[in-house]
Amino acid sequence: MPLTTAVASCPFKIGHTPLTSYQVRIGDLTHELLVKEERCNEFGSVKDRVAWHILSKTIEQIGPVKSVVDASSGNYGNALACICQRLGIQATIVSSASISAHNAAQIKGAGARLVIAEPKPGETSNAARMRLAGEIAEQEGTIFLDQYSNPLNPASHQTWTAPELFADGPFDAVFMTSSSGGTSRGFADYLKARPGMAQLCLVEPESSCAFLESPSGCTDKLKIPAFGSQRRSSFAGMEPDPGMIRMDEASTVAAFDLLHEHALSKVGLSSVGVILGALDWLARQEKPARVACICADGDERYLSEIQSRYIPTVGEEAYQAARARLEPIIGAMRCLGPVQPAAEAAAQ
């Protein structure tokens, strides 16, 4: 689906999300870090794009559907449930026990059925979700959208998210995390057709192995929903391999709190990890750089569970140590505000 068609045919406020600029001073260099605020999509995340693209193209291909089922760690399920509610389609979302309380409530509030998949011995939570969603589709005769393997997932980013971002380029590098792998693969395919446009970097915890092998062998449990994946992505096989920055989850949780305390950003947890990865990359540059971060969602999905769930999960000692280390770095960041969209600037 071409970009213009996707935007024009979408009845929801999805796309054209703000790009917020930050000034980052590291050593003697001043860099620009830009945050693509996907939280500003109508249903709150970058997965709004994927849910609309997959569902609309499926309907275009096979005609009207009465019910759909799909697997999700949370954000995609939230978006799909809300879109289906508006379109009068019954949705079943298969997720894991790690789903955020916010997304679980939103899915149920949209009238969708939420099913929690229990992994079998040796099975990852992602694989369990996919297996159960497929079983439900077969048993109930509903349409399995299969976001984790559906090529429409990366296509939504190759033809929509990436062109939208690069309209406000150029960038020296673009950072994101894998989640289902669709965003990463979509951007990789977009950039492959445009050699030298920008470096693509993934930011993942050590136990993530969606695209590149994990240093820990994928043995440690991931602590933040959608921050990496312990299942090899169906969209693996990028050429060339993306750059990889490993970011620990204690630092991510600490930085989330610090960004709030300094009133710098309202992005979600995995998005904070992506920003930290960009800061790590910038610290190794020898000249000023301009980089962009794809920030998948917003803080509202995590705020209520920071103290009760995420800090205990990463450990109080590790959290406090990360806070002390990151305070001077984040405290020195300056928000310069939204970048004027390229289309608007050209019209003036």
Side-chain angles (χ1 to χ4, degrees):
M1 182 185 289
L3 175 65
T4 52
T5 303
V7 173
S9 65
C10 182
F12 310 109
K13 295 178 181 178
I14 301 175
H16 297 304
T17 51
L19 189 64
T20 302
S21 175
Y22 292 83
Q23 183 183 85
V24 179
R25 183 76 177 174
I26 302 177
D28 296 329
L29 299 178
T30 300
H31 307 283
E32 185 180 14
L33 185 153
L34 298 114
V35 169
K36 186 66 169 166
E37 306 250 14
E38 290 297 292
R39 67 187 181 88
C40 295
N41 286 308
E42 184 164 351
F43 309 114
S45 82
V46 70
K47 291 294 191 174
D48 289 20
R49 298 179 190 261
V50 181
W52 166 252
H53 193 79
I54 291 178
L55 181 62
S56 64
K57 292 297 285 184
T58 299
I59 293 172
E60 180 182 310
Q61 292 165 4
I62 69 174
V65 299
K66 294 182 178 180
S67 62
V68 298
V69 60
D70 214 346
S72 170
S73 62
N75 283 342
Y76 169 83
N78 182 356
L80 182 62
C82 292
I83 289 171
C84 285
Q85 181 185 44
R86 302 279 190 91
L87 299 180
I89 298 170
Q90 180 59 49
T92 296
I93 308 300
V94 181
S95 194
S96 302
S98 60
I99 187 173
S100 71
H102 174 91
N103 276 331
Q106 289 286 105
I107 290 168
K108 294 175 183 177
R113 177 175 54 156
L114 177 62
V115 180
I116 301 300
E118 296 294 336
K120 294 180 178 180
E123 187 179 44
T124 66
S125 59
N126 184 292
R129 294 194 297 266
M130 293 177 67
R131 170 183 53 77
L132 184 55
E135 291 172 357
I136 290 172
E138 184 175 353
Q139 293 165 6
E140 301 181 4
T142 190
I143 302 298
F144 181 22
L145 296 176
D146 195 14
Q147 65 136 337
Y148 290 119
S149 300
N150 195 325
L152 291 171
N153 183 338
S156 69
H157 301 295
Q158 181 183 3
T159 62
W160 192 355
T161 320
E164 185 178 304
L165 174 71
F166 281 99
D168 292 307
F171 309 105
D172 295 294
V174 178
F175 300 82
M176 61 197 66
T177 193
S178 64
S179 184
S180 67
T183 309
S184 309
R185 182 56 187 264
F187 269 78
D189 290 344
Y190 179 85
L191 291 171
K192 183 179 179 180
R194 298 161 180 83
M197 177 175 273
Q199 180 179 347
L200 176 64
C201 294
L202 299 186
V203 184
E204 312 268 66
E206 282 211 350
S207 205
S208 176
C209 54
F211 287 97
L212 300 178
E213 291 301 321
S214 160
S216 67
C218 262
T219 56
D220 297 330
K221 186 176 180 180
L222 295 177
K223 302 175 178 66
I224 296 172
F227 189 26
S229 174
Q230 290 187 296
R231 170 187 168 272
R232 178 69 61 184
S233 174
S234 300
F235 311 120
M238 295 181 187
E239 295 180 4
D241 281 340
M244 175 63 74
I245 297 173
R246 298 290 179 178
M247 188 56 54
D248 69 281
E249 290 136 314
S251 294
T252 300
V253 175
F256 179 91
D257 271 354
L258 288 168
L259 286 168
H260 273 270
E261 290 173 16
H262 289 279
L264 285 170
S265 178
K266 293 184 177 181
V267 300
L269 267 175
S270 68
S271 301
V272 171
V274 171
I275 291 172
L276 286 180
L279 292 174
D280 179 86
W281 187 89
L282 288 171
R284 291 181 272 112
Q285 302 311 301
E286 297 179 350
K287 61 181 181 179
R290 187 174 193 254
V291 302
C293 297
I294 304 300
C295 291
D297 60 12
D299 58 6
E300 76 284 350
R301 284 159 161 74
Y302 311 96
L303 282 171
S304 66
E305 296 183 285
I306 285 293
Q307 296 296 327
S308 63
R309 173 181 176 181
Y310 294 109
I311 293 178
T313 298
V314 300
E316 180 71 28
E317 184 176 348
Y319 165 80
Q320 292 296 345
R323 272 189 65 100
R325 177 174 53 83
L326 292 170
E327 168 63 40
I329 300 170
I330 291 175
M333 292 177 62
R334 295 292 178 265
C335 182
L336 304 179
V339 172
Q340 186 180 31
E344 291 182 17
Q348 294 181 0

